[in-house]
Amino acid sequence: MQVKALVKGTVQGVGFRPFVYRIASELKLKGYVKNIGRGVELVLDGSKSRISAFFTKLRNSSPPLVTIEDVSSSEGTFGNYNSFKILRSSGVATSVSIPPDVGICDDCLRELYDESNRRHNYWFITCTNCGPRFTMTRELPYDRETTTMSQFKMCSDCEMEYTDPLNRRHHAQTIACHKCGPNLQLVDIHGNELPASDQIKKTAELLNRGKIVAIKGIGGIHLTCLASDDKAIGRLRERRRRPQKPLAIMARDMDTVKSFAMVSATEEKLLKSWRKPIVVLRRSNHYWLSDKLSPGLKTIGVMLPYTGLHYLLLDHTKGPIVMTSANLPDEPTIKDDEQAMAKLANIVDYFLLHNREIYNRCDDSVIRVVQEKLVFLRRSRGYVPEPVEVADAGETILALGAELDNTFCIAKDGKAYPSQYIGDTSNLDTFNGLKESLSKFQGLIGASKFDSIVCDLHPSFNTTRLAKELAEKYGCRLVQVQHHFAHLASCMAEHKLEEATGIVCDGYGYGLDGKAWGGEVITARGNAFNRIGHLEYQPMIGGDVATKKPVRLAVGILSKFMDANEIAGTVAASKDEVRVWLKQLETGFNVVESSSCGRFLDAVSALLGVCYERTYEGEPAIKLENLALSGKEYIELPVKITRENDSYVLETTGIFKALVESLDSPPEDLALSVHHALAVGLARIAEKSKSRNICFTGGVASNELFNRFLAEEITGIKTQTKVPCGDGGISLGQAFSISLDKAHQ
Ligand code: ZN
Ligand code: ZN
Ligand code: FE
């Protein structure tokens, strides 16, 4: 009997054809397998029972990177075969996607440490199941020639493996060895090579001696130093002008991780998965690394090694190492050698570089596990360019996201492809990085033109301006979507909803009334949305300056029930400062009204003396949450909801006043209680919508306590687990709003 089948999904560049070849050969089936435009086609010739055994194996034991979305098959007569063969590709790939970069697999790891293997100690060991993919691919179809491996001519040994269908490196485009593959250079800041027989071992020695080394990786360059070395970390922070922002680390193995952090089963699984993200863990009582890694926080961002180089390096370092993206403030991560030498010479002591080009920049992904669910703080390496399935809008859409933590997203044929992490697009270099990544991404996704381009409602974001330019260039429609509706739509996209109510809490988004929104309850039916409630507006004295100096936010609220003397006696500000600010409030000069949940938490953070000055995004609220995590007692805070202009308003002045009156209580209890009061109040407003689909999203939705309290208030509350709830998820929501538009018509 003969059967012809078409397999769709992630089936190219993932060792799928050799896998098919192997199981067909084992079962003594004849026929062929080949890549075609729509997926992989195969013909099987053999007995019915063997063919059915083949399909069982196909489903149950496919390689880790293969995702089979659909198998359609039919019986018939398809020719004469006397063996099983892998045939050449035909047609241009249209609905296949290249996989994300994959952490080193167990087989390669075994070979790395096997003295008899010819790749023993080879730092760039990979196979069909592991290694870089997205970051090195220039265009489709995925082939050696279309990747940044094209410059390395295979040696005869590698070539033999590459062409042998039974070899586990058959058609592995990253195939390389000591003889023919990329190699390392260890240089000082003047570019002089350091004499060393083993550059990785030498690098480890430098780190052990307190040096800072820039190390080129898969999707960019990392800054590294010993994670237990206070002095080195202090120097790194000083040189980089980053006094407080948490630094991620890399630890050799799970035992090491467990020596300083608490790890749940879900977290362990995530750490060990081939995607190898940074997972934000709680420090344990035995924490022994430097306190300077995450000042003021109880958490630490950890990842496991994901390349041969990482393993070989950590074999020789005295414990875990800092592994933070090499960039200057707000600029994109550096990925090219020359740029690294030019920009990092004042920060690092040495460079460990290699001669393989990184084509697509891709930072490490950062994930937190909250209530046993994944919360993406950054979705990048190991995940991009994997699509999120969405309703097919019947057109090709480009969504450009917001401003901070930017990602863009291309949607077509029922799939939305969120980009890698881009960053703060108000920075010109990062904005240029966005444009560059976009044109590269278009090539990989096969989107040469767009029907709709979507951006934020904010009139002066760089992304808004770019959207207008591109809409003109492509002669297509431009759609502007309100920031918090885009957050909600992103959550609706993940849960395939057309109707929902969203509690959207974040830092800042341009509101329909031109004010600064950020603590919103929104109902949506299709793309028609209604803001049914929000946090009370509070003044931001000095506008954006207040975001950096949260004590101003506190003063803004205190001014509603205290005079200058009382205020100066309550928060860390002089009477003179307070008087100037009160004057400003009176005249309204440069005072912005904000309903932001993030800003209110910032004000509380300043009131409780947790954080007066913000040195990184979200710092005051993140530190407040960390404090609240050790809270035990609830302090009664008023949850009062009033009606104003057809909206429910959760009064925050009353909550703040009650906090001031309880300042003699333990600050951790106050911090805990304020989270609880806000969650209860927002839940009460959301419940008024009577919707069965209540979503919680926005940057604040990464907060563990809000998630816990909202889950207590609202059964089945929906959160985001596929893209960030913060502004990194905005682009998906913008793209999905077009589908919602269609659904509504
Ligand atoms: Zn491998
Ligand atoms: Zn070779
Ligand atoms: Fe936002």
Side-chain angles (χ1 to χ4, degrees):
M1 138 179 187
Q2 289 190 342
V3 168
K4 188 177 200 168
L6 175 66
V7 186
K8 289 185 191 168
T10 306
V11 286
Q12 291 193 17
V14 287
F16 185 69
R17 287 174 306 162
F19 160 67
V20 166
Y21 180 90
R22 272 197 301 278
I23 54 176
S25 308
E26 270 164 37
L27 291 162
K28 302 201 164 45
L29 291 166
K30 295 168 193 165
Y32 69 81
V33 57
K34 72 171 181 179
N35 284 346
I36 61 167
R38 290 166 295 143
V40 169
E41 181 182 276
L42 48 99
V43 165
L44 303 168
D45 185 342
S47 72
K48 192 174 178 180
S49 63
R50 281 170 188 262
I51 289 178
S52 114
F54 173 91
F55 282 109
T56 311
K57 281 203 172 186
L58 187 80
R59 287 270 185 205
N60 298 338
S61 56
S62 66
L65 305 183
V66 169
T67 318
I68 298 174
E69 280 164 16
D70 183 55
V71 183
S72 54
S73 63
S74 58
E75 269 181 57
T77 315
F78 305 103
N80 290 318
Y81 307 96
N82 37 37
S83 65
F84 195 87
K85 283 202 170 84
I86 297 181
L87 301 184
R88 277 198 158 277
S89 314
S90 65
V92 179
T94 54
S95 65
V96 287
S97 44
I98 42 161
D101 303 294
V102 185
I104 186 169
C105 73
D106 291 345
D107 291 331
C108 286
L109 200 53
R110 219 170 290 128
E111 289 183 6
L112 181 71
Y113 288 112
D114 175 0
E115 279 176 33
S116 67
N117 192 281
R118 67 186 195 90
R119 289 189 183 84
H120 176 234
N121 277 347
Y122 183 51
W123 64 279
F124 191 66
I125 185 170
T126 62
C127 69
T128 40
N129 290 336
C130 76
R133 294 291 185 274
F134 167 67
T135 51
M136 67 163 199
T137 307
R138 297 177 205 272
E139 59 188 318
L140 290 175
Y142 175 72
D143 215 332
R144 180 86 165 187
E145 288 314 304
T146 56
T147 70
T148 59
M149 286 302 289
S150 60
Q151 64 181 102
F152 302 99
K153 197 180 170 333
M154 280 177 232
C155 68
S156 55
D157 287 338
C158 283
E159 177 121 40
M160 227 151 68
E161 294 173 339
Y162 185 84
T163 47
D164 173 7
L166 283 177
N167 192 285
R168 64 183 203 86
R169 290 194 176 84
H170 176 66
H171 279 195
Q173 310 304 353
T174 50
I175 193 170
C177 71
H178 285 289
K179 225 191 297 173
C180 68
N183 47 53
L184 295 166
Q185 302 118 271
L186 176 60
V187 296
D188 66 15
I189 55 169
H190 307 293
N192 301 320
E193 198 140 347
L194 266 69
S197 56
D198 182 336
Q199 292 111 323
I200 297 175
K201 208 168 161 185
K202 178 85 186 170
T203 303
E205 280 165 24
L206 293 169
L207 294 170
N208 289 342
R209 280 180 16 220
K211 301 295 180 194
I212 301 170
V213 185
I215 300 181
K216 188 173 176 185
I218 296 289
I221 292 174
H222 286 108
L223 301 175
T224 66
C225 66
L226 226 49
S228 49
D229 187 337
D230 278 349
K231 266 200 213 143
I233 297 167
R235 228 151 25 91
L236 178 61
R237 289 199 172 281
E238 208 171 288
R239 289 179 182 180
R240 232 170 137 215
R241 283 171 286 136
R242 226 177 226 181
Q244 297 278 316
K245 195 174 181 181
L247 298 168
I249 62 161
M250 182 177 275
R252 174 68 172 71
D253 46 39
M254 280 315 297
D255 282 345
T256 311
V257 176
K258 287 173 182 170
S259 73
F260 58 80
M262 292 187 277
V263 193
S264 72
T266 312
E267 287 162 342
E268 177 161 351
K269 201 172 144 206
L270 193 57
L271 279 166
K272 287 175 73 186
S273 80
W274 60 263
R275 301 176 192 273
K276 295 288 186 293
I278 295 168
V279 181
V280 179
L281 302 174
R282 281 251 217 149
R283 295 184 187 187
S284 72
N285 293 334
H286 310 289
Y287 183 81
W288 58 276
L289 303 175
S290 170
D291 274 326
K292 290 204 161 91
L293 291 173
S294 49
L297 303 182
K298 294 181 170 60
T299 54
I300 174 103
V302 184
M303 62 183 149
L304 292 175
Y306 55 86
T307 67
L309 189 153
H310 294 153
Y311 273 99
L312 297 172
L313 184 67
L314 288 165
D315 283 343
H316 299 289
T317 57
K318 290 192 283 185
I321 54 173
V322 168
M323 266 296 211
T324 183
S325 299
N327 58 1
L328 302 183
D330 301 327
E331 287 188 14
T333 298
I334 295 165
K335 66 178 181 62
D336 303 318
D337 302 13
E338 254 173 57
Q339 238 198 353
M341 298 295 297
K343 290 199 165 188
L344 299 175
N346 297 325
I347 297 178
V348 305
D349 303 310
Y350 298 96
F351 295 87
L352 181 63
L353 303 172
H354 59 70
N355 59 343
R356 186 186 64 83
E357 185 199 341
I358 296 171
Y359 185 70
N360 289 303
R361 171 183 295 110
C362 205
D363 291 85
D364 297 314
S365 294
V366 187
I367 303 175
R368 186 176 186 187
V369 178
V370 176
Q371 303 274 100
E372 287 300 299
K373 288 192 277 193
L374 304 197
V375 174
F376 277 88
L377 302 176
R378 184 192 295 162
R379 180 187 185 273
S380 218
R381 181 188 48 76
Y383 293 88
V384 174
E386 242 171 36
V388 176
E389 300 239 351
V390 291
D392 190 358
E395 51 176 89
T396 304
I397 303 157
L398 168 65
L400 284 169
E403 183 171 64
L404 299 175
D405 285 331
N406 179 272
T407 65
F408 60 86
C409 178
I410 294 176
K412 60 170 203 163
D413 305 324
K415 289 193 168 106
Y417 300 85
S419 76
Q420 71 268 50
Y421 169 80
I422 303 289
D424 179 357
T425 52
S426 69
N427 176 290
L428 193 64
D429 284 329
T430 306
F431 181 57
N432 288 332
L434 160 65
K435 291 195 263 191
E436 187 191 319
S437 296
L438 173 60
S439 74
K440 289 175 173 179
F441 215 72
Q442 279 182 263
L444 289 181
I445 304 301
S448 53
K449 58 182 177 36
F450 303 105
D451 303 298
S452 293
I453 293 181
V454 198
C455 66
D456 199 88
L457 197 62
H458 198 293
S460 52
F461 279 175
N462 278 330
T463 47
T464 306
R465 291 215 306 272
L466 178 63
K468 287 178 178 164
E469 262 171 54
L470 291 177
E472 212 156 281
K473 175 180 160 189
Y474 291 104
C476 71
R477 156 168 95 135
L478 175 77
V479 183
Q480 287 188 265
V481 178
Q482 199 279 325
H483 190 93
H484 302 99
F485 173 58
H487 272 302
L488 172 57
S490 182
C491 195
M492 290 166 79
E494 283 196 18
H495 295 277
K496 298 186 161 60
L497 301 174
E498 288 178 5
E499 177 281 319
T501 291
I503 297 172
V504 187
C505 292
D506 71 348
Y508 167 74
Y510 190 82
L512 292 179
D513 56 3
K515 290 182 182 175
W517 291 12
E520 314 303 311
V521 181
I522 290 171
T523 59
R525 201 166 281 282
N527 78 335
F529 75 95
N530 188 14
R531 181 199 203 199
I532 63 161
H534 57 89
L535 297 190
E536 179 185 346
Y537 280 117
Q538 297 291 5
M540 292 168 66
I541 305 168
D544 238 12
V545 178
T547 309
K548 300 214 168 84
K549 304 247 191 253
V551 71
R552 289 175 180 237
L553 299 166
V555 171
I557 306 174
L558 293 173
S559 73
K560 295 185 173 179
F561 55 87
M562 275 183 170
D563 64 24
N565 285 339
E566 287 171 313
I567 293 173
T570 307
V571 293
S574 71
K575 269 181 211 164
D576 288 343
E577 274 178 309
V578 173
R579 273 194 208 104
V580 173
W581 293 336
L582 293 188
K583 190 87 206 149
Q584 209 174 334
L585 276 175
E586 232 175 81
T587 60
F589 174 73
N590 204 7
V591 175
V592 177
E593 293 284 307
S594 172
S595 59
S596 163
C597 183
R599 292 300 92 83
F600 182 71
L601 293 170
D602 290 355
V604 175
S605 192
L607 175 71
L608 300 184
V610 177
C611 182
Y612 296 114
E613 194 176 337
R614 187 192 83 158
T615 65
Y616 61 89
E617 211 201 319
E619 180 181 357
I622 291 169
K623 288 189 170 167
L624 184 71
E625 181 202 0
N626 265 267
L627 176 68
L629 286 170
S630 38
K632 286 176 193 75
E633 305 267 335
Y634 289 90
I635 284 141
E636 183 85 8
L637 298 173
V639 178
K640 201 172 152 211
I641 294 161
T642 53
R643 278 295 268 177
E644 211 174 275
N645 306 327
D646 284 338
S647 282
Y648 296 102
V649 177
L650 175 59
E651 289 197 353
T652 48
T653 304
I655 295 176
F656 210 73
K657 191 161 182 249
L659 282 173
V660 172
E661 284 158 5
S662 319
L663 278 176
D664 51 352
S665 303
E668 60 271 24
D669 289 348
L670 293 173
L672 177 74
S673 307
V674 77
H675 283 87
H676 188 251
L678 290 174
V680 168
L682 289 163
R684 274 194 206 150
I685 297 176
E687 277 161 353
K688 292 182 194 292
S689 73
K690 300 273 187 290
S691 173
R692 285 194 301 168
N693 304 317
I694 299 187
C695 300
F696 178 43
T697 181
V700 174
S702 63
N703 180 302
E704 188 177 325
L705 290 168
F706 270 108
N707 276 288
R708 192 198 300 165
F709 296 142
L710 281 170
E712 279 167 17
E713 299 297 317
I714 301 165
T715 31
I717 190 160
K718 294 175 167 64
T719 58
Q720 300 206 251
T721 57
K722 294 179 181 161
V723 300
C725 52
D727 284 5
I730 285 272
S731 60
L732 174 67
Q734 290 175 341
F736 187 63
S737 75
I738 303 291
S739 303
L740 285 174
D741 188 17
K742 297 269 154 80
H744 199 51
Q745 281 165 8

